[in-house]
Amino acid sequence: MNQWPDWLPLRDDLKSLSPYGAPQIVDVVQLNTNENPFSLPEVVQQEIVSRIQEVAGNLNRYPDRDAVRLRAKLAEYVNLQSGTEFDVENMWAANGSNEILQTLFLACGGAGRKALGFTPSYSVHPLIAKITGTSWIAGAREDDFRIDVEIAVEQILAERPSLIFVTTPNNPSGTSTPLVDISKLAQASANIGALLVVDEAYAEFSTEASASLLIEKFPHVVSSRTMSKAFAFAGVRVGYLVAHPSVIDAVLVTRLPYHLSSLTQAAAEVAIDHASVMQSGIDELLSERDLLVKGLERLGWNALESSANFLLFSGFKGTSANIWKEFLDRGILIRDVGLEGYLRVTVGTAPENHRFLAAAQEIAQ
Ligand SMILES: Cc1ncc(COP(=O)(O)O)c(C=O)c1O
C-alpha cells in the first residue's frame, strides 16, 4: 500500500488505492491489454498525417468543444452497423471509453448513490465508482460467467442503484449477454429509474446485436463504445457514447471543457472515414482466436467461449500467478485478472499466437 505523507489532503477513502494499470513491458509479446495487434493501414496513416498537418496551423485555438463533426461521423458509423437512425445529439465522444464511463458516473453516481455491475467484469467500473464516491454493488454471474437474468433483475429491484453496468462481450470472460436479456434488465432499470450502461467495448467482434437498438424504447439505456479495439486505435484514445439526447446533455454537464484535442478529433474522423479498412483484421483475429482455442484444448487446457478478441483460459497446473510468470519468462505477457485458476490472453498476430502456444506447450509439460 502507498505511504501517503501527512501533508497531503488525500481523501481517506482513496488512501488504500494504487494506480490502475497492467504492466507495460517492452521486448515481449504483448497479449495482455486486448489491443488490436495490427498497425493502421498505410493509407490511413498517410491521411492522418496530412489531416494533422492541416490542423496544426490552428492549434493556437481550442478544439471544437462539442466535437460535432466527429459525433456526426460516429452516428453514421453506428447507423451503418446497427441499422439505427442516430444523429449528432445521440452521440458523445471522449478520450477513450474510460472517460465516457467516468463522465456517466459524475453525472449519475456520487455520494449516497449506488452502482451495480455483474462481476467478474471490467475492473475499471468499480474503480471509477470508488473515485466518484459511489457505492459499488457486485452483482452475481453464474459459474460459467453468464448473467442469470432472473437473479439480476431481483438484485436490481432490491438494491435500487442509479447506475447498472453490463459488459458485453464481457471482459475478462469474453462471454456475451443476448439482447433479449439486456432488454429484461432495461425493463427492470426503467422500473427503478436507473441508467443501464451497456459497455460494448468489444461489440465489433461479436455477432450479438448492439444494445443501442434498445435506446428508442428505453431512453435510459446507453451504449459505451471504443475505437481502441476493433478499430486498432488504442493509442489515439477515442471512446464514444450512444444514448438518448437527454443523457448526452447530462454528460455535457460533467465533461471538462475542450476535453478532446483537435488532433484527436482530426485523427478519429479520418479513421471513421476508413472504418472498413481499419477493421479489416477482425476476421483474421476471429480465426486466430479459434486456432488458439484448439491449441489450448490440445494441451488439455480449455478456454471459455469468447465473442471478443481475447480468451479466458483454465486447466493449467499451478496458480495463475505462477503460470503468468512462466509465460513472462518465455517472453509472453498475458493477464492475470485476479481469478484463481484462470488467465486471459489477447488474440495477437499469427506469429505471436504461435509463440504463445509454444510457450503454453512447454509450461504444460
Ligand atoms: C470492457 C471495457 N470497457 C472499456 C475499456 C476502455 O477502453 P478505452 O478507454 O481504451 O476506450 C476496456 C479496455 O480494455 C474494456 O475492456
Side-chain angles (χ1 to χ4, degrees):
M1 202 203 302
N2 275 322
Q3 288 302 310
W4 301 103
D6 289 344
W7 52 262
L8 188 72
L10 183 66
R11 278 165 35 197
D12 287 339
D13 61 332
L14 298 186
K15 284 185 177 160
S16 63
L17 297 184
S18 12
Y20 171 87
Q24 290 193 302
I25 305 175
V26 288
D27 296 335
V28 292
V29 177
Q30 292 169 351
L31 302 176
N32 67 329
T33 52
N34 299 343
E35 291 158 331
N36 193 312
F38 302 120
S39 44
L40 267 55
E42 194 62 33
V43 52
V44 185
Q45 291 186 31
Q46 295 299 335
E47 209 172 307
I48 288 177
V49 170
S50 64
R51 276 285 285 130
I52 297 287
Q53 201 151 26
E54 279 167 38
V55 170
N58 216 26
L59 286 178
N60 54 314
R61 300 289 173 197
Y62 282 116
D64 173 4
R65 198 173 41 212
D66 294 335
V68 172
R69 205 161 56 183
L70 172 58
R71 287 161 65 203
K73 284 184 188 292
L74 286 167
E76 251 175 66
Y77 168 69
V78 170
N79 291 340
L80 208 65
Q81 277 213 321
S82 295
T84 42
E85 291 184 358
F86 294 120
D87 218 330
V88 180
E89 62 264 27
N90 295 103
M91 314 296 294
W92 184 240
N95 294 283
S97 55
N98 285 335
E99 192 178 55
I100 293 286
L101 299 169
Q102 186 183 51
T103 327
L104 287 167
F105 264 106
L106 289 171
C108 299
R113 293 195 164 208
K114 295 183 196 169
L116 174 106
F118 303 97
T119 53
S121 188
Y122 185 43
S123 56
V124 169
H125 299 155
L127 178 65
I128 307 179
K130 175 122 187 143
I131 289 164
T132 57
T134 316
S135 301
W136 178 258
I137 315 285
R141 281 182 185 261
E142 299 298 283
D143 288 346
D144 62 359
F145 299 100
R146 287 170 207 283
I147 296 173
D148 180 318
V149 183
E150 311 303 317
I151 296 175
V153 166
E154 269 173 36
Q155 201 162 16
I156 289 170
L157 300 180
E159 295 288 352
R160 305 185 74 80
S162 305
L163 286 160
I164 298 160
F165 289 85
V166 179
T167 309
T168 184
N170 186 42
N171 178 10
S173 58
T175 46
S176 58
T177 305
L179 195 64
V180 282
D181 288 352
I182 304 269
S183 189
K184 290 180 191 160
L185 300 178
Q187 186 60 63
S189 314
N191 294 347
I192 59 157
L195 199 67
L196 179 67
V197 182
V198 188
D199 186 334
E200 297 188 317
Y202 302 94
E204 291 93 341
F205 297 106
S206 169
T207 50
E208 196 62 57
S210 165
S212 56
L213 290 168
L214 300 176
I215 294 170
E216 199 180 345
K217 179 169 179 203
F218 296 109
H220 59 284
V221 171
V222 308
S223 156
S224 172
R225 309 281 293 260
T226 184
M227 293 181 71
S228 298
K229 311 296 181 182
F231 262 100
F233 219 49
V236 184
R237 310 301 297 126
V238 182
Y240 55 99
L241 180 70
V242 191
H244 184 277
S246 298
V247 181
I248 303 295
D249 285 346
V251 299
L252 279 165
V253 172
T254 57
R255 65 105 151 92
L256 289 173
Y258 311 113
H259 68 301
L260 202 60
S261 87
S262 307
L263 302 175
T264 304
Q265 293 187 36
E269 285 164 25
V270 174
I272 298 163
D273 284 345
H274 292 85
S276 56
V277 60
M278 290 288 285
Q279 296 186 10
S280 56
I282 291 180
D283 286 347
E284 190 175 335
L285 287 177
L286 297 185
S287 41
E288 282 297 317
R289 184 184 71 196
D290 294 345
L291 292 176
L292 278 178
V293 172
K294 290 197 185 102
L296 289 169
E297 281 170 357
R298 271 198 297 275
L299 303 177
W301 296 3
N302 37 65
L304 283 169
E305 191 182 329
S306 170
S307 308
N309 65 332
F310 56 86
L311 291 169
L312 190 67
F313 65 94
S314 59
F316 43 80
K317 290 199 184 72
T319 63
S320 301
N322 284 344
I323 301 296
W324 177 85
K325 178 72 170 52
E326 295 262 359
F327 274 103
L328 189 59
D329 290 344
R330 290 165 176 79
I332 315 284
L333 181 60
I334 58 172
R335 189 75 169 257
D336 179 356
V337 292
L339 280 174
E340 197 43 62
Y342 291 93
L343 285 165
R344 194 192 71 191
V345 60
T346 306
V347 181
T349 60
E352 288 173 336
N353 300 331
H354 260 109
R355 282 194 57 188
F356 165 77
L357 285 175
Q361 189 158 16
E362 277 182 30
I363 295 165
Q365 269 164 12

